[in-house]
Amino acid sequence: MARRIRGLSDRAIAWIFVAPTIVLLLAVNIFPLIWTIRLSFTNYRANRPNAEVSWVGLRNYERILTDSDVWLTMQATAHFLFWTLFLQVLIGFALAWLINRKFKGNDLWTTVIVLPMMLSPAVVGNFWTLLYQPQIGVFNHVMAFFTGADPQQFSMIGDVNLAPWAIVIVDTWMWTPFIMLICLAGLRSIPDSIYEAAECDRASQWRQFWTITIPMTLPFLMLAVLFRGIENFKMFDLVVQLTGGGPGNVTTLTSIDLKREAFEKWRTGFSSAYAVILFVTVFGLASIYVKALNKVKER
Amino acid sequence: MKSAKLLAAAAFTAASGLTVTNAHADDLTLCWAAWDPANALIELSKDFEEQSGHNMSFEFVPWPNFADRMLNELNSGGELCDLMIGDSQWIGLGAEAGHYVKLNEFFNAEGISMDDFIPATVAGYSEWPKGTPNYWALPAFGDVVGWTYRKDWFERPELQAEFQETYGRELDVPATLEELKDIAEFFQGREIDGNTVYGAAIYTERGSEGITMGATNALYNYGFEYGSPDNPYILDGYVNSEGAVEGLEFYKELYDCCTPPGSSNWYMSETIDAFKSGQVALQMNFAFIWPGVHADPNVGAEKAGYFPNPAGPAGQYAQLGGQGISVVSYSDSQDAALEYIKWFAQPEVQTRWWELGGYSALKAVVEDPDFESSQPYAKTFLDSMAIVKDFWAEPAYASLLIPMQERIHNYVVADQGTAQEALDGLVEDWTEVFEDEGKL
């Protein structure tokens, strides 16, 4: 093969192919990021393009980090993240493990379980708002059946103590199938020969589970947790539809708060600083997590 | 030969017709919220299309997303809307950010006088700065928070007797907010026709403006003021006055004692549903719903009654709703849009607007001797419009609204802190906003 095509080196040709992607990346990702960081040090408001923009130094960051309401939204987000991931991993893995065992109709069950994931979050939010309705909602009546409580005496999305759990339940209902599918892929990737060898070594079912199943599906599980973690950190539509961030602000997650600051109050500079803080947090946590994931994969 | 001549004549006619149409016709888009009055406006605007030759399109957005969607449109200098029926609080922003065309010259040239409209609607929907004769909108839809009640339940002899015995007065339209609470308490959890019913459906919505639009009906009447009469940005002692605290406590008591279970995030549509499904004796809502209630086969006509927001210890006020119609400054069809406003301001069009279910703010319509008897809710509408107060119309109104939503909801629904703490916190939040705005 000739090293040059019409006078262009291989390196030049490579650059020609890569350049559009780099330009796009710079325009869509890098430039907005740098611009956001710049705006975070100003009092700019996007709805007042003609107003004078002042450099405010670190004031926006200081305000965010000393604002008790922001910390409350961080707490609400951490609660939502922890419990959704915990429950989804637990139930998702259990479902995958059950589905992986050969039984009649397991394909049908897989389809049924996966259905919630295919719905729009706005639809799911509306649907569960009705289910949680104390007078006509099925959820309260089911709970009442098991606990003997009066269904009209508790409101899942109207009670400050129950509302955070209401959103955890819905997100778990909707996204557990995602974890299940990834775990199922992991379980099905384990060669039967490993289990056969363990059988020959007379390893118990329990020992096979802990020494073969868990370690070999762990990278899949961790990947699923990474995806769901990032998604749930950004969770917006489902929660807005279900609770609107209330009652009070117990379900106001950071994404909801950020949207209000940026596109309702139009405090663009302030919300840019907010976004930078969230970006650094997610980026930092995700980097640590990915390192851990790589170590697990190397084992 | 004859047919060739005919064809040529037809072609000429068609061509000249097209030319005439193209020279004068504009495509106008009117932006508003998606609700019943918007449908009435579509019907009304057909006459304008016929008379002017312009084509009208409509962009209606449901209330919960209305502000987000339309303010984004305005803030981005979008050309989607030629005419905007924007919320009353947007006037300050619309004027100062240059979204709306100032209408003074146009009004003067066309002989449209703001003296011809209900004063509260001019102050609420058209003026910026408030109290000055600078007009950015024509009052388009007068609206106010009032109450709907189950007249048929109130008229039941056994309930009247029991109420009389319990409260020592007749079961009738309440004159005060305390009386309203008594009535709501009386109906709460009562069994009527085999169904458990509740006292009152009130605004508690958290996400947009609902609980603010509801709680202010108690706050105003107990003594809440937005600021000092000498300086509207001096808040301490007015927003969190003793009376304001009592007003907020009243609203919480009403929520706690007398609302249907699960009504922690209710606004216009949820309260309508509660009333129409026969769940509640009283419904707080904007007056725009009254034509729909009246027409309802289950709870309308003789079964429903209407009354203005009752008085409190500090007076009788009601939260203003409604909107003015403005010409968007980014529109390419401003002349045609102004033509629409000129047409809309005519008394005969305003009369038809009222007939179709739109709430005219023109004095000639509402002061007509036949107006009060034209609909069962007409007098309540007039009485309510005479007692209105409105939220801030500052350009930063959203920055003022969001903390009020949070503070009020935290206290009333989420049961966190005290009314005093909520209002003190609101003073802090609003002070910070006004400091940022350079007004303090």
Side-chain angles (χ1 to χ4, degrees), chain B residues 294-366:
Chain B
H294 181 60
D296 189 89
N298 298 319
V299 298
E302 295 307 308
K303 289 181 181 171
Y306 315 88
F307 61 89
N309 190 44
Q316 186 176 15
Y317 304 97
Q319 175 60 49
L320 180 72
Q323 302 86 30
I325 182 166
S326 302
V327 175
V328 176
S329 60
Y330 316 112
S331 161
D332 288 333
S333 305
Q334 288 186 17
D335 288 342
L338 289 168
E339 223 178 293
Y340 184 89
I341 288 188
K342 181 184 166 187
W343 167 84
F344 186 73
Q346 297 173 94
E348 56 273 22
V349 176
Q350 289 287 313
T351 305
R352 174 111 175 99
W353 180 219
W354 168 250
E355 286 166 4
L356 288 170
Y359 282 15
S360 173
L362 192 71
K363 283 182 184 170
V365 175
V366 298

Side-chain angles (χ1 to χ4, degrees), chain A residues 45 47-48 59 63 69 133-135 152 155 157-158 160 243-250 252 259-260 263-267, chain B residues 68 72 75 93 97 198 206-207 260-262 264-266 279 395-396 398-399 402-403 406 409-410 413-414 416 432 436-437:
Chain A
R45 284 170 179 268
N47 66 341
R48 315 263 182 90
R59 196 177 76 179
R63 272 188 175 181
D69 288 342
Q133 224 284 330
Q135 292 162 68
Q152 297 195 8
S155 167
I157 53 177
V160 71
T243 63
N249 49 10
V250 292
T252 302
K259 186 260 180 183
R260 283 195 181 133
F263 300 112
E264 290 179 31
K265 293 183 184 176
W266 291 98
R267 299 166 80 189
Chain B
D68 271 8
N72 273 338
N75 288 328
L93 180 70
Y198 302 95
R206 165 71 173 73
S264 58
N265 198 22
W266 280 16
Q279 277 187 62
S399 298
I402 291 169
E406 288 176 4
H409 205 270
N410 270 341
V413 177
Q416 292 173 352
E432 187 180 305
D436 285 353
E437 291 286 302

Side-chain angles (χ1 to χ4, degrees), chain B residues 94-314:
Chain B
E96 290 198 7
H99 299 325
Y100 293 161
V101 172
K102 191 173 181 182
L103 297 172
N104 286 50
E105 274 183 31
F106 166 73
F107 285 166
N108 290 337
E110 297 297 339
I112 298 171
S113 170
M114 286 294 103
D115 293 341
D116 293 339
F117 290 84
I118 301 172
T121 64
V122 177
Y125 311 153
S126 304
E127 289 176 359
W128 184 261
K130 290 295 173 197
T132 68
N134 295 288
Y135 304 118
W136 305 87
L138 181 91
F141 187 85
D143 205 357
V144 56
V145 170
W147 293 83
T148 319
Y149 71 101
R150 284 300 296 266
K151 203 173 170 187
D152 56 335
W153 294 356
F154 276 43
E155 286 169 351
R156 292 189 179 199
E158 73 279 11
L159 295 182
Q160 283 187 335
E162 190 185 331
F163 188 86
Q164 178 79 43
E165 196 182 336
T166 314
Y167 296 96
R169 64 170 193 276
E170 275 184 36
L171 176 56
D172 205 347
V173 168
T176 65
L177 286 170
E178 283 296 335
E179 287 184 11
L180 180 137
K181 198 174 84 182
D182 289 344
I183 295 170
E185 227 161 9
F186 177 72
F187 280 102
Q188 183 76 0
R190 183 170 289 276
E191 193 158 305
I192 293 182
D193 299 334
N195 298 315
T196 305
V197 305
Y198 302 95
I202 63 172
Y203 290 166
T204 55
E205 187 255 6
R206 165 71 173 73
S208 60
E209 57 173 24
I211 199 163
T212 300
M213 295 292 108
T216 46
N217 293 286
L219 289 169
Y220 298 150
N221 296 357
Y222 275 82
F224 169 97
E225 297 283 350
Y226 283 105
S228 156
D230 302 325
N231 181 346
Y233 305 113
I234 302 294
L235 313 170
D236 198 22
Y238 298 92
V239 169
N240 54 352
S241 65
E242 205 177 307
V245 170
E246 281 176 34
L248 190 53
E249 283 169 351
F250 169 85
Y251 200 71
K252 178 168 175 51
E253 285 166 21
L254 185 63
Y255 172 72
D256 286 341
C257 77
C258 311
T259 55
S263 59
S264 58
N265 198 22
W266 280 16
Y267 199 20
M268 297 179 264
S269 58
E270 291 84 0
T271 48
I272 292 173
D273 290 345
F275 190 80
K276 286 191 173 177
S277 61
Q279 277 187 62
V280 289
L282 299 162
Q283 179 202 182
M284 160 190 275
N285 217 328
F286 284 109
F288 81 89
I289 66 146
W290 293 340
V293 169
H294 181 60
D296 189 89
N298 298 319
V299 298
E302 295 307 308
K303 289 181 181 171
Y306 315 88
F307 61 89
N309 190 44

